[in-house]
């Protein structure tokens, strides 16, 4: 999986908007794929490692002429509300507005090392909404958006050389209500999750058929990811499927989504000038 994702991380270093997201039913391994564990790091940790290694190489090769700045932000889309997982208080974290495809007023942290990012991720993970359902004992009830900004700046006063953005997205899993047994707040969460995933699928379909209008604003998820799903961006979808025969229909739906994503062609081009 990392062999497929690594070139996209390089594209963010080169100045592209990039999105890597994990898609699939609840309990299919999306969070493990993206976050992993200490002995087997996921896409997120491996991406952070590559970005900091590139930062060291760029600054060393420039002999002080160039500086690289890395900053991160972590958002959760829960019940179609945008929450800042790095906010100092629950009030500051709740229901952020979205303007021009960006969350308004959220915390962006400048990071100087892999270890610092790992601590930030750990804090954000502890604040995610995770509950047990019949389908998954630790079901993420919202989408996690981990965004890394990679900015290369000249130290001679000429400003920014290039700027890339990487979204690593752990999507909440689609779920069938009759299997998950969702009721009450779980049911409401499942409905919001399924609706936003349906909107993502619709956006992908419109991109694939080259429609003039793409309905990004129908969901907070696609609204925030707009600049990394279309235009000259680069996107990778990691499809997670359960090996159990009882989940055959859900796996088939995920594979059909993958087929749809694979047919999308984005416009080639750079979004920076040297």
């Amino acid at each position: 999986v990392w062999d497929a994702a690594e070139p996209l991380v390089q594209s963010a270093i080169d100045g592209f908007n990039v999105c890597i997201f994990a898609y699939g039913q609840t309990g299919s391994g999306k969070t493990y794929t993206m976050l992993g564990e200490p002995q087997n790091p996921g896409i997120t940790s491996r991406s952070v490692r590559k970005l900091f290694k590139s930062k060291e190489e760029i600054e060393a090769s420039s002999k002080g002429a160039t500086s690289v700045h890395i900053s991160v932000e972590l958002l959760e889309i829960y019940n179609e509300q945008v929450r800042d997982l790095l906010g100092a208080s629950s009030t500051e974290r709740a229901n952020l507005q979205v303007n021009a495809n960006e969350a308004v007023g959220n915390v962006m942290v400048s990071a100087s090392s892999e270890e610092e990012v790992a601590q930030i991720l750990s804090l954000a993970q502890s604040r995610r909404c995770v509950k047990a359902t019949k389908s998954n004992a630790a079901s993420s009830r919202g989408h996690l958006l981990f965004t890394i900004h990679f900015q290369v700046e000249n130290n001679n006063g000429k400003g920014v050389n290039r700027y890339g953005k990487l979204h690593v997205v752990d999507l909440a899993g689609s779920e069938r209500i009759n299997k998950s047994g969702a009721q009450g707040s779980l049911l409401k969460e499942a409905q919001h999750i399924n609706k936003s995933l349906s909107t993502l699928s619709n956006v992908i379909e419109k991109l694939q058929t080259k429609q003039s209008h793409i309905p990004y604003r129908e969901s907070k998820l696609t609204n925030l990811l707009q600049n990394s799903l279309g235009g000259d961006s680069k996107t990778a979808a990691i499809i997670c499927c359960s090996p159990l025969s009882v989940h055959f229909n859900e796996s088939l739906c995920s594979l059909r989504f993958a087929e749809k994503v694979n047919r999308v062609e984005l416009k080639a081009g750079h979004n920076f000038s040297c």
Side-chain angles (χ1 to χ4, degrees):
V1 175
W2 174 242
D3 288 343
E6 186 176 15
L8 276 84
V9 179
Q10 181 61 50
S11 292
I13 295 167
D14 293 338
F16 284 92
N17 286 333
V18 174
C19 180
I20 302 172
F21 65 86
Y23 181 98
Q25 72 177 96
T26 183
S28 59
K30 298 180 302 300
T31 298
Y32 183 81
T33 299
M34 302 312 271
L35 299 179
E37 55 189 1
Q39 60 269 33
N40 186 23
I43 298 297
T44 302
S45 298
R46 293 171 189 261
S47 298
V48 170
R49 183 175 302 162
K50 181 175 179 64
L51 290 168
F52 276 100
K53 183 179 179 181
S54 295
K55 167 183 164 67
E56 293 175 2
E57 292 173 349
I58 292 170
E59 290 179 338
S61 64
S62 72
K63 297 180 180 179
T66 301
S67 296
V68 178
H69 304 282
I70 295 176
S71 55
V72 302
E73 51 185 316
L74 280 135
L75 303 174
E76 181 182 49
I77 301 175
Y78 172 76
N79 284 350
E80 201 53 21
Q81 294 185 348
V82 180
R83 303 172 61 204
D84 182 6
L85 296 177
L86 301 181
S89 67
S90 57
T91 302
E92 293 178 7
R93 293 196 292 267
N95 198 17
L96 300 180
Q97 299 301 307
V98 178
N99 184 32
N101 317 124
E102 300 283 349
V104 178
N106 68 303
V107 175
M108 185 182 299
V109 180
S110 179
S112 58
S113 68
E114 289 181 54
E115 293 73 23
E116 187 176 356
V117 175
Q119 292 175 359
I120 294 169
L121 272 168
S122 179
L123 173 64
Q125 273 295 105
S126 70
R127 293 175 172 176
R128 287 189 77 179
C129 183
V130 178
K131 298 179 183 178
T133 70
K134 290 181 179 179
S135 300
N136 187 358
S139 174
S140 301
R141 310 311 291 169
H143 309 301
L144 175 68
L145 276 68
F146 173 49
T147 305
I148 313 171
H149 304 264
F150 191 90
Q151 182 172 300
V152 181
E153 186 173 339
N154 293 319
N155 292 332
N156 55 11
K158 293 185 179 180
V160 176
N161 182 297
R162 65 178 183 267
Y163 168 78
K165 180 191 291 187
L166 171 64
H167 292 293
V168 181
V169 186
D170 177 21
L171 294 174
S174 59
E175 59 184 78
R176 300 202 175 197
I177 307 303
N178 61 338
K179 288 186 177 181
S180 67
Q183 296 179 349
S185 62
L186 285 175
L187 176 60
K188 180 180 178 182
E189 291 161 359
Q191 290 170 336
H192 279 292
I193 290 168
N194 289 341
K195 184 177 179 181
S196 64
L197 292 175
S198 177
T199 301
L200 175 62
S201 180
N202 189 32
V203 164
I204 295 294
E205 184 174 345
K206 298 294 184 183
L207 287 169
Q208 182 244 316
T209 55
K210 297 180 172 62
Q211 298 292 309
S212 57
H213 172 68
I214 311 297
Y216 291 111
R217 294 188 179 183
E218 290 185 6
S219 163
K220 295 289 178 61
L221 174 67
T222 50
N223 197 350
L224 287 169
L225 294 179
Q226 177 174 344
N227 293 335
S228 295
L229 290 176
D232 62 353
S233 63
K234 297 192 176 186
T235 305
I238 300 170
I239 308 302
C240 298
C241 297
S242 169
L244 301 177
S245 59
V246 69
H247 297 309
F248 172 80
N249 289 329
E250 290 89 340
S251 296
L252 183 61
C253 288
S254 296
L255 292 173
R256 284 173 175 164
F257 176 81
E259 183 182 20
K260 189 185 299 183
V261 170
N262 204 40
R263 291 199 297 264
V264 176
E265 294 181 5
L266 300 178
K267 181 179 69 176
H270 286 267
N271 62 349
F272 67 88
S273 58
C274 296

